[in-house]
Amino acid sequence: SARFMHYPYPTDRRVVVGTNTWEFVQGDPIPNSNGQGVTPVPVNQLYVHHLSGRVVLGQGSEGIRRSDVQFPFPEPYGTLTGEEGDAMVFHIIDLREVDEWLACVECRCRDPEDGTYLTIGGSGDGTGGVPCCANCTDLAGPTIDYRMRYNVSYWDIPEEGSVTDLQMIT
């Protein structure tokens, strides 16, 4: 089910996006406890195929717990808030009790007759791609609620200069 993320940037002005760090966690956070009550989710349990959106930008599992400048371009270039909206799309894959995890995260299709994974291909030839990218587990339960824990930095646009806004192209 859909949940809403806190929009971490000021809404009364545009700012330059700095660094971000993110990860998925499970458990019930204890209010005002500085993150107690939750534990990081291992990649072999919940594979992050990719994220889209500019609240927190991430390229997938290789971006977990990294703290990088989102767009490391020299001044006067930067990414500004204010036009991207606050929507996020997460493509995550449940890997609990999955033996053939590589075929799963590569989004290979299964043979309808024997259930084996087909070779790597494109979505147009029936061997792999978006139509085949789903949870690979037959596990019926228990259901786990995941949360995204993230930290971002930003800075105000300098009064004496300007910033050329870079647009993300995917």
Side-chain angles (χ1 to χ4, degrees), residues 5 8-9 17-24 51 55-58 63-70 148-153:
M5 294 177 62
Y9 303 108
V17 176
T19 60
N20 73 53
T21 304
W22 60 270
E23 66 183 338
F24 281 93
L51 310 172
V55 173
V56 177
L57 180 66
I64 296 172
R65 291 183 282 285
R66 288 179 56 183
S67 183
D68 295 323
V69 174
Q70 287 197 35
M148 180 183 229
R149 176 167 51 190
Y150 58 94
N151 190 5
V152 300
S153 70

Side-chain angles (χ1 to χ4, degrees), residues 8 27 57 84 97 105 150:
L57 180 66
E84 72 278 359
E97 297 184 17
V105 301
Y150 58 94

Side-chain angles (χ1 to χ4, degrees), residues 34-49:
N34 199 21
Q36 292 183 21
V38 296
T39 57
V41 178
V43 174
N44 64 355
Q45 174 180 326
L46 184 73
Y47 183 80
V48 182
H49 196 275

